[in-house]
Amino acid sequence: MARLPEQFLEWNYYGRKRLLEKLLSGGMTREMALEFMRHTPVLVTAAEVDGRIEVNGKVVGSGYVASKDYLSEKIKVFREHIKESDEKYNSGVGYDKIEEEHLLRGVKLLLEHIYLEKERADREIDFEVLATVELAKQSPHSSKHTWSLIQKNPRVSLVYYQPPALSYEIKGHASIHLDDQLHEFVTLVHDSFHYTPPQARSDRPVYIIHVEEVYDNSASPKGFGRRLV
């Protein structure tokens, strides 16, 4: 595996940190919308199906994973966050009333435990992997292309794009997690920002993308497919 290069982390990881700080201090603004594209790459999968290569790409939310030594303690923090909102939801408090408070508390926790200053980040975050939650599998009308293809061939790419010209491609392989610490961590962090009621949390596999190669695909003199790692 390879570590995500500092050039990518400065834009993506530390850029998300700055975005969450802005969100906490002033709320969401129209001008901030493009900034959220740091979170939404296209996940590209491909495999042989009925004698031909089928290729698929879909926009996903991608996130970071705690280092092994810090997984358990961070899981406990986010469990409590979800539990607090669940108790209100189960007592009959409406989703709309829970959502804003949940999001605000979640942003604070993300800044305390996931999006950190460099010294802590290098120690507490595993920058050799990225993660995403498979949300389409639980949908009855979904094609489930990604879920089908990734089981046949774990080789994947994540393609990030932020207009007007910035783009990165991360190549690697995906491991599927259904019921382990990594699955719990990734789904808890996902739900810490977007409150998901208990009945909607089933059948959500997690893909851990193990980084192998990183390319700068930006439309710039130093981009156009320059390999960074």
Side-chain angles (χ1 to χ4, degrees):
M1 290 196 299
R3 188 182 191 276
L4 291 165
E6 291 300 322
Q7 178 180 322
F8 175 82
L9 292 175
E10 175 57 31
W11 168 70
N12 192 272
Y13 177 83
Y14 295 105
R16 291 193 204 187
K17 181 179 186 301
R18 293 188 290 270
L19 179 60
L20 290 172
E21 289 168 344
K22 287 180 185 176
L23 190 62
L24 197 59
S25 63
M28 179 67 179
T29 66
R30 188 174 181 179
E31 291 73 22
M32 290 166 61
L34 284 180
E35 299 295 314
F36 278 89
M37 295 187 77
R38 290 179 174 87
H39 177 64
T40 54
V42 174
L43 175 61
V44 181
T45 51
E48 185 175 339
V49 179
D50 298 328
R52 65 187 180 91
I53 300 299
E54 182 174 335
V55 181
N56 189 67
K58 74 168 181 177
V59 176
V60 299
S62 72
Y64 290 88
V65 177
S67 299
K68 184 177 180 181
D69 291 343
Y70 292 87
L71 262 179
S72 295
E73 66 180 60
K74 293 183 188 294
I75 283 173
K76 290 177 184 177
V77 169
F78 286 98
R79 272 183 192 159
E80 286 302 310
H81 169 49
I82 303 301
K83 180 182 176 183
E84 185 173 339
S85 294
D86 280 350
E87 288 174 349
K88 292 179 181 179
Y89 182 83
N90 292 332
S91 70
V93 177
Y95 177 86
D96 291 343
K97 292 183 178 179
I98 294 171
E99 186 181 27
E100 184 175 352
E101 179 187 307
H102 179 87
L103 186 148
L104 181 60
R105 190 170 67 245
V107 169
K108 291 178 180 177
L109 290 176
L110 288 171
L111 286 169
E112 290 171 11
H113 298 280
I114 307 297
Y115 294 96
L116 312 170
E117 297 296 336
K118 182 169 174 45
E119 185 178 342
R120 278 190 66 197
D122 286 341
R123 185 171 63 249
E124 298 182 24
I125 305 298
D126 183 353
F127 287 129
E128 293 186 349
V129 298
L130 288 159
T132 186
V133 181
E134 175 57 84
L135 299 176
K137 186 174 181 291
Q138 62 183 218
S139 173
H141 59 262
S142 169
S143 65
K144 300 176 180 60
H145 284 148
T146 299
W147 175 244
S148 174
L149 294 177
I150 212 165
Q151 292 178 87
K152 294 180 174 70
N153 176 22
R155 309 295 304 174
V156 300
S157 285
L158 285 171
V159 179
Y160 290 82
Y161 172 61
Q162 186 175 3
L166 191 148
S167 179
Y168 290 96
E169 181 181 10
I170 296 171
K171 293 180 179 289
H173 67 276
S175 56
I176 300 171
H177 298 260
L178 303 174
D179 186 22
D180 60 9
Q181 260 200 332
L182 285 171
H183 179 272
E184 182 176 15
F185 174 82
V186 174
T187 52
L188 282 172
V189 172
H190 172 274
D191 295 344
S192 72
F193 191 87
H194 314 277
Y195 179 66
T196 305
Q199 67 271 18
R201 293 182 201 152
S202 62
D203 203 12
R204 297 188 300 171
V206 161
Y207 306 136
I208 301 295
I209 314 301
H210 303 266
V211 178
E212 295 175 1
E213 301 173 12
V214 181
Y215 295 84
D216 183 349
N217 288 350
S218 304
S220 70
K222 293 185 178 181
F224 286 105
R226 180 172 64 98
R227 184 171 177 175
L228 301 177
V229 172

